[in-house]
Each structure stands twice: as structure tokens, then as C-alpha cells.
């Protein structure tokens, strides 16, 4: 009996190589062969540049490290991996037979009315054995296809977690830089408010002695209140940016290195973009979309196999006796072998509908895969286009600030000499404050653009480049 059972299982293993899943072919990437902007030159690609190398700011490195340890979204993504791995292990268990050891004992009384001897009897039975649960001989690859689909889903979950890690690092960096930008703008607004308060007091003294008009006084007051409003707005925005950063990090922002200004951020800005086709292997979200496509392709094989017969084996071997002492005596051996075959004849179109669903879901997965590629292409292209103009914008904005500062100096000299009115000075003060705030925003845009390009090219998985090459 055991020889027959072993032979059957070996034969099943040989025949399970059949699969009805379609031959997988990666869809053509629906994007251009080159990015619409100069890719620039750089020493290393984003995917091989560690985030500690990309973000040299010690405070930012500490924030990213804390976020990777404490962020709840990333923790959920890691748990999703464990869930998918367990689900895959459950599915892959169907590829192998399940054996169970059983020990049972029964004692029962048979009534006289139903006893063959016409008298009541009490019977005892003990049994010990090894059983093979219903094991499907996967001739048409149904179980194998389901296992392949489960594996692809597991790998897609892993890629989703990697994508979440990349996004988290980028979001922490952008939130930190936004908080720094609001802090710098707040300092500028505070300095402007204090200087305008001083100017207002002087204008008030001049008005009281009749040296200036009420119009000059009210215009100075308007500038003071405008600076006060800006100060309150920036204080709120800075606090909200700090709250957003705390949420991303997942813990209070304590015991951190001192912050650096935007002008001191040495973020790498010359990362080469490479070819669009390289995005297919660089970005985890694209790899994850392809794994979901592979899962849909395997599910078609399982749906096709449902049209064919399903053969299962159930068997058992052991000993049985009416007494415990007789379980292993001669003649107590028992065995059973029960193969079964199920052939679908009429199911009211259920199998056909399942196959249609599997094919439609594959088409959806193809569209999702193509859209993911197109989204990645657009993100890289947008970042490259912005990179080509932001440096020029910062240079122009810096020149505007310097010109406004010189204008204010000249206007104040003309006012002190009595050549021009205070309106020229007030207007120059207002324009200089606006130019200072715009320069901070331009610097923030350049830094966040570098982060967006780094993320869109798949950077952020490595921690230190040197460690990856050892």
C-alpha cells in the first residue's frame, strides 16, 4: 500500500509541470525614449546614492532615521509584508501533501432492537494511524498557478513597502525644509516689523511737531500692521509645518542636532536622470505594478484549469483493535485508499465567468502598469524641467533683492536730504520685504525639486553608498 501511495505522489509531482497560464510578455513602455529635458551630468545615479549622502544635514539625517523607526505608515507597510508572506505560505502548502497522525478510541452500546443477535452489546475500538488528507493531483496547474499568483502578490507588497520608504524619506526632507523656510521668513518678518515700528515712532514724533502729514503717519502705520499680520501668519505656518514633521517622524522632535539654513543645505542637485527605460528597474512602484500583472496572468491559468477534471487522493494506514494491547499485533493493520475525480459538466457558466473576470483583471493590471510608468516619466520630466530653470530663478531673485536693498538705501538718502517724500521710502521697504520672502521661496523650490528628482528616480532605498559597495 505504501509503495502504491509513494508511486502515486511521485507521478503527481512529475505531471504538475503543466500550466495553462498565458506566456507572460512585459508590455511595451508607453513613453518616449528620452526625457524632454537635458538630463545633466552627475557622479552617481539616484538609485545608488545613499540618502545620508544625498542629505548631509545632520539634523535632517536624525529626523529621517527616527521616521524610518517610528513612522506608523511605514510600520503598517512592513506588517503588510508579513501578512502577504503568511498568505503565500498558506497557498504554497497546497503544493505538498498533508499527513496527519491520529489516535482514537470509542466505546458504544448497541440496542437489542438493532443488534444482529437480538441482544444489546457494548463494543470497544481503538485505532492508531497515519492519514493523507485530500491532496489534489495538479495535472493542469491550477494549484501551481494560484501559488504563482500568491507569490507575485507577496513580491508586490514588498515593492510597495520599498516605495513607501522612498516616499517617507522625501516627505520628511520636504517637511523639514518647509519648516526651515517658514523659520527664515519669520525672522525676516520679525526684523521688518521691528524696523517699521521704529520708523513709525519717528513718524509719529514728526507728526506731533508738525514736520509731516497725517497721511505719512497712516502709511507708516499700515506698513507696521502689515508686517505684524505677516509675522502672525508665518508663526502659524511654521508651527503647522513642525506638527506635520512630527507626524511623519512619529515622535516628538527632541534631542536633535542644531538646524541649518536653506542656503547651507548641500543637497545633491546634479543627479543624472539616465534613460526612461531604466525606471522599470529603479522604481519599486513600477516593479510592484508588474508583480500585480504577473499575479493576474497566473490567475488566468487557474481559471482555465477549472474547466478540466480535478483529481484528489485520500489515503490512510494504521492499526485497529478492540483492546489497547492488541493495536500492534498481527492482523491489526488497516489501510484505505480513496482517489476521487470531479469533472465539471454543468455550472451555469460559473467557470466561464471566472475566466472572464481573470482576463479583465489582467487587462486592468496592464493599464495600471502602463499608467504607473507614465506617471513616473512625468514626475522625472517635471523635475528635470524645473531643475533647468530654478538656478536661474534664484540668481534673478537674488539680484532683485540686492537691487531693492540699494533702492531703499538711495530712497532713504533722498528723503533725508528732502529731495523726495517718505512715500518712496515706504514703497522701497515694502518691495524689499517682498523680494526677501520670494528669495527664500525660490531656494526652497530648488531644494524640494532636487528631492523630487531623487525620489522619482528611485533614490532613497540605500542608506550609505559606501556600505552598498563593500
Amino acid at each position: 500500500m505504501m509503495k502504491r501511495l509513494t508511486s502515486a505522489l511521485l507521478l503527481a509531482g512529475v505531471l504538475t509541470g503543466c500550466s495553462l497560464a498565458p506566456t507572460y510578455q512585459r508590455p511595451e513602455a508607453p513613453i518616449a525614449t528620452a526625457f524632454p529635458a537635458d538630463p545633466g551630468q552627475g557622479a552617481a545615479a539616484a538609485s545608488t546614492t545613499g540618502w545620508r549622502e544625498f542629505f548631509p544635514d545632520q539634523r535632517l539625517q536624525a529626523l529621517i532615521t527616527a521616521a524610518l523607526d517610528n513612522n506608523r505608515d511605514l510600520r503598517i507597510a512592513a506588517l503588510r509584508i508579513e501578512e502577504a508572506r503568511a498568505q503565500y505560505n498558506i497557498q504554497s502548502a497546497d503544493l505538498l501533501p498533508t499527513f496527519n497522525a491520529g489516535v482514537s478510541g470509542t466505546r458504544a452500546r448497541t440496542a437489542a432492537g438493532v443488534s444482529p443477535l437480538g441482544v444489546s452489546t457494548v463494543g470497544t475500538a481503538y485505532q492508531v494511524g497515519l492519514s493523507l488528507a485530500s491532496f489534489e493531483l495538479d495535472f493542469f496547474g491550477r494549484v501551481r498557478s494560484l501559488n504563482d499568483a500568491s507569490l507575485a502578490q507577496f513580491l508586490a507588497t514588498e515593492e510597495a513597502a520599498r516605495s513607501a520608504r522612498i516616499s517617507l524619506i522625501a516627505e520628511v526632507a520636504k517637511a523639514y525644509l518647509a519648516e526651515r523656510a517658514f523659520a527664515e521668513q519669520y525672522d525676516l518678518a520679525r526684523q521688518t516689523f521691528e524696523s517699521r515700528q521704529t520708523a513709525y515712532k519717528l513718524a509719529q514724533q514728526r507728526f506731533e511737531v508738525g514736520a509731516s502729514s497725517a497721511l505719512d503717519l497712516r502709511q507708516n502705520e499700515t506698513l507696521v500692521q502689515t508686517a505684524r499680520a505677516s509675522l502672525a501668519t508665518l508663526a502659524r505656518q511654521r508651527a503647522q509645518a513642525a506638527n506635520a514633521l512630527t507626524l511623519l517622524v512619529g515622535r516628538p522632535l527632541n534631542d536633535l542636532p542644531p538646524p541649518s539654513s536653506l542656503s547651507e543645505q548641500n543637497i545633491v542637485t546634479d543627479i543624472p536622470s539616465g534613460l526612461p527605460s531604466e525606471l522599470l528597474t529603479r522604481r519599486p512602484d513600477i516593479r510592484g505594478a508588474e508583480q500585480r500583472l504577473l499575479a493576474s496572468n497566473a490567475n488566468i491559468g487557474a481559471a482555465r484549469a477549472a474547466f478540466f477534471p480535478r483529481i484528489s487522493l485520500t489515503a490512510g494506514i494504521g492499526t485497529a483493535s478492540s483492546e489497547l494491547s492488541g493495536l500492534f499485533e498481527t492482523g491489526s493493520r488497516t489501510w484505505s485508499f480513496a482517489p476521487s475525480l470531479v469533472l465539471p459538466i454543468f455550472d451555469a457558466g460559473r467557470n466561464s465567468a471566472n475566466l472572464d473576470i481573470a482576463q479583465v483583471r489582467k487587462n486592468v493590471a496592464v493599464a495600471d502598469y502602463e499608467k504607473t510608468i507614465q506617471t513616473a516619466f512625468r514626475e522625472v520630466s517635471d523635475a528635470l524641467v524645473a531643475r533647468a530653470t530654478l538656478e536661474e530663478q534664484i540668481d534673478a531673485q537674488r539680484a532683485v533683492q540686492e537691487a531693492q536693498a540699494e533702492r531703499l538705501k538711495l530712497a532713504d538718502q533722498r528723503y533725508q536730504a528732502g529731495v523726495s517724500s517718505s512715500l518712496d521710502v515706504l514703497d522701497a521697504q515694502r518691495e524689499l520685504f517682498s523680494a526677501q520672502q520670494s528669495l527664500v521661496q525660490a531656494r526652497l523650490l530648488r531644494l524640494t525639486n532636487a528631492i523630487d528628482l531623487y525620489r522619482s528616480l528611485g533614490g532613497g532605498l540605500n542608506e550609505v553608498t559606501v556600505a552598498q559597495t563593500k
Side-chain angles (χ1 to χ4, degrees):
M1 172 60 191
M2 288 301 298
K3 291 181 179 179
R4 294 177 181 176
L5 181 58
T6 302
S7 300
L9 293 177
L10 291 175
L11 178 62
V14 173
L15 296 177
T16 52
C18 175
S19 175
L20 299 179
T23 302
Y24 175 75
Q25 292 183 347
R26 175 183 290 176
E28 292 291 332
I31 53 177
T33 56
F35 292 108
D38 183 8
Q41 300 295 327
S47 58
T48 58
T49 301
W51 60 261
R52 288 187 182 273
E53 179 183 357
F54 188 80
F55 301 112
D57 188 319
Q58 295 296 315
R59 186 181 180 91
L60 179 53
Q61 289 182 3
L63 289 171
I64 292 175
T65 300
L68 294 176
D69 293 335
N70 300 287
N71 182 266
R72 299 314 188 264
D73 290 333
L74 195 62
R75 188 173 299 178
I76 291 173
L79 293 174
R80 294 295 185 195
I81 293 178
E82 298 301 321
E83 179 186 17
R85 180 184 290 111
Q87 187 63 43
Y88 168 64
N89 290 337
I90 292 173
Q91 184 62 55
S92 61
D94 291 339
L95 294 173
L96 300 174
T98 301
F99 292 95
N100 298 312
V103 179
S104 64
T106 59
R107 184 175 177 82
R109 181 180 183 278
T110 304
V114 296
S115 174
L117 302 177
V119 295
S120 61
T121 59
V122 176
T124 303
Y126 299 97
Q127 188 170 357
V128 176
L130 181 68
S131 63
L132 169 67
S134 181
F135 173 63
E136 181 176 345
L137 301 181
D138 196 23
F139 291 121
F140 303 102
R142 188 187 73 87
V143 178
R144 174 65 62 181
S145 294
L146 291 175
N147 181 74
D148 292 342
S150 182
L151 175 60
Q153 289 290 353
F154 164 60
L155 296 177
T157 306
E158 280 192 327
E159 297 296 349
R162 294 188 180 99
S163 181
R165 176 187 174 92
I166 290 175
S167 298
L168 176 62
I169 291 174
E171 291 304 316
V172 169
K174 291 166 70 174
Y176 168 71
L177 294 177
E179 190 273 335
R180 289 290 84 211
F182 286 131
E184 290 188 23
Q185 289 180 320
Y186 177 84
D187 290 339
L188 288 172
R190 179 177 49 79
Q191 295 170 8
T192 301
F193 175 69
E194 292 173 354
S195 64
R196 288 180 180 180
Q197 268 192 323
T198 302
Y200 174 70
K201 291 178 180 178
L202 292 175
Q204 194 172 31
Q205 293 175 358
R206 290 172 60 86
F207 173 73
E208 290 173 352
V209 298
S212 64
S213 65
L215 178 60
D216 290 340
L217 179 62
R218 295 311 174 194
Q219 286 177 334
N220 274 279
E221 183 181 7
T222 299
L223 287 180
V224 170
Q225 297 304 326
T226 301
R228 179 186 172 193
S230 298
L231 197 62
T233 299
L234 290 169
R236 171 180 54 81
Q237 292 175 331
R238 180 183 180 183
Q240 290 176 340
N243 292 338
L245 184 58
T246 301
L247 177 62
L248 288 171
V249 173
R251 68 171 181 83
L253 306 181
N254 301 325
D255 304 325
L256 296 172
S260 301
S261 64
L262 294 183
S263 59
E264 296 173 335
Q265 299 293 329
N266 296 320
I267 292 178
V268 180
T269 58
D270 59 347
I271 293 180
S273 60
L275 298 175
S277 58
E278 296 175 351
L279 289 176
L280 304 184
T281 57
R282 284 181 180 177
R283 289 188 45 141
D285 57 339
I286 296 179
R287 297 198 299 264
E290 185 172 15
Q291 290 297 333
R292 292 192 294 273
L293 176 56
L294 286 167
S296 300
N297 193 74
N299 283 328
I300 292 179
R304 287 176 174 176
F307 288 91
F308 295 89
R310 186 179 302 177
I311 302 175
S312 301
L313 296 179
T314 302
I317 185 171
T319 64
S321 175
S322 60
E323 297 180 358
L324 283 174
S325 59
L327 278 176
F328 301 101
E329 293 182 353
T330 303
S332 62
R333 189 179 66 172
T334 63
W335 61 266
S336 66
F337 180 67
S340 64
L341 183 146
V342 177
L343 177 64
I345 296 178
F346 176 75
D347 60 3
R350 181 179 291 105
N351 287 337
S352 297
N354 285 332
L355 179 58
D356 292 340
I357 290 175
Q359 291 173 337
V360 170
R361 287 176 176 171
K362 179 185 177 181
N363 293 335
V364 171
V366 170
D368 176 68
Y369 174 69
E370 293 174 341
K371 181 181 178 181
T372 303
I373 295 176
Q374 290 176 335
T375 301
F377 183 84
R378 178 196 169 181
E379 290 175 352
V380 175
S381 299
D382 287 346
L384 289 173
V385 169
R387 184 174 71 174
T389 59
L390 282 172
E391 289 292 343
E392 182 179 355
Q393 180 181 344
I394 290 176
D395 290 339
Q397 195 61 50
R398 187 184 297 109
V400 170
Q401 176 182 300
E402 293 173 353
Q404 291 294 346
E406 184 65 22
R407 175 192 172 190
L408 175 59
K409 179 180 177 181
L410 295 175
D412 186 63
Q413 291 175 353
R414 289 172 59 85
Y415 174 69
Q416 297 297 332
V419 179
S420 62
S421 67
S422 62
L423 294 178
D424 295 333
V425 177
L426 297 177
D427 185 62
Q429 288 177 345
R430 183 168 50 249
E431 294 296 332
L432 175 60
F433 178 68
S434 177
Q436 290 172 335
Q437 299 281 10
S438 297
L439 180 58
V440 174
Q441 283 295 325
R443 287 171 175 164
L444 177 62
L445 282 175
R446 180 179 65 85
L447 294 173
T448 55
N449 169 256
I451 295 171
D452 287 337
L453 180 59
Y454 181 63
R455 179 196 58 80
S456 61
L457 289 174
L461 287 178
N462 299 333
E463 184 171 354
V464 181
T465 304
V466 177
Q468 297 297 322
T469 59
K470 287 183 179 180

